[in-house]
Amino acid sequence: MLIIRRANLDDAIDVLRWRNDAQTRAMSWKTDPIDPANHIEWFTAAVNDQAKILLIGNFEEKKIGMVRFDVCAEDIHIWKVNIIIAPESRSQGLGGNLLTHAISFFYSKLPEALLIAEVKKNNTASQNLFERLGFLKAEINGEKLEYKHSKYKPKK
Ligand SMILES: CC(C)(COP(=O)(O)OP(=O)(O)OC[C@H]1O[C@@H](n2cnc3c(N)ncnc32)[C@H](O)[C@@H]1OP(=O)(O)O)[C@@H](O)C(=O)NCCC(=O)NCCS
């Protein structure tokens, strides 16, 4: 069974390893390896930041990945969603499972929010993941695909 929980400082080193993996870097907008000291500083701030929600997935007692939501500075109703699965846990359906749980948790807190995902054109696994969960491709900008998702239906 997959369980999600808020990230804490004990997760910092695992997340650094997942983030500095070659495949993750290739699919990220900043491809340079992250320096451990900078990462610890960023992670410490991030887990305490009201403008972020960091969720860790555990599957059969193993830590398998993280979903991060970041509020957009320009509009507090818009949040960017990002997912990373531990390299050893990829391509087993866990990304879809984790993202489903994380999004359901997110909307339970922020039902009126709009979610955005920015995915590289060559990141087929990630595109499949967001499309399967009902995200709509909204914009194509160079190598970036933007997906949107919302549950909110304004009352007429
Ligand atoms: C992208 C990522 C989150 C997907 O998670 P995952 O657990 O590996 O993916 P899943 O096993 O749940 O599969 C998701 C979909 O991608 C497909 N897929 C899985 N691995 C794939 C691969 N290596 N190449 C192409 N497609 C792949 C699956 O078939 C599935 O498609 P389907 O829903 O049509 O069946 C994960 O690979 C990852 O962390 N990659 C590095 C970081 C990253 O790219 N993050 C996303 C940034 S936008």
Side-chain angles (χ1 to χ4, degrees):
M1 194 172 70
L2 192 140
I3 292 168
I4 53 166
R5 59 166 175 82
R6 297 270 189 171
N8 62 57
L9 280 185
D10 291 342
D11 301 312
I13 299 300
D14 290 304
V15 173
L16 177 66
R17 178 172 65 83
W18 305 340
R19 175 59 181 77
N20 274 346
D21 152 74
Q23 176 71 8
T24 310
R25 283 174 44 210
M27 294 306 162
S28 300
W29 304 107
K30 291 179 191 159
T31 53
D32 289 344
I34 308 268
D35 167 72
N38 289 347
H39 172 75
I40 299 294
E41 192 180 326
W42 174 84
F43 201 84
T44 306
V47 293
N48 293 305
D49 187 344
Q50 298 293 311
K52 296 184 190 298
I53 299 173
L54 273 63
L55 300 173
I56 296 286
N58 279 66
F59 185 71
E60 289 165 357
E61 295 178 21
K62 194 171 164 217
K63 220 182 272 188
I64 56 105
M66 180 173 82
V67 176
R68 194 181 86 229
F69 299 90
D70 298 285
V71 76
C72 286
E74 306 79 35
D75 186 337
I76 57 159
H77 292 103
I78 303 178
W79 291 68
K80 278 192 191 164
V81 54
N82 206 291
I83 179 164
I84 183 167
I85 295 291
E88 63 278 10
S89 298
R90 289 180 192 157
S91 300
Q92 301 164 36
L94 291 171
N97 199 350
L98 174 58
L99 195 59
T100 303
H101 279 74
I103 286 179
S104 155
F105 175 88
F106 175 84
Y107 282 133
S108 75
K109 305 282 178 208
L110 294 156
E112 297 182 8
L114 171 70
L115 282 175
I116 289 183
E118 293 176 340
V119 182
K120 279 193 174 173
K121 253 185 191 163
N122 60 349
N123 195 349
T124 316
S126 183
Q127 287 165 40
N128 288 354
L129 204 68
F130 285 109
E131 285 174 21
R132 190 191 267 269
L133 264 82
F135 279 67
L136 298 177
K137 209 182 287 175
E139 253 181 69
I140 304 172
N141 191 349
E143 64 168 341
K144 188 191 284 185
L145 303 181
E146 189 179 273
Y147 287 92
K148 288 188 177 171
H149 190 276
S150 170
K151 272 178 59 141
Y152 181 57
K153 306 234 177 349
K155 289 191 185 96
K156 287 184 185 150

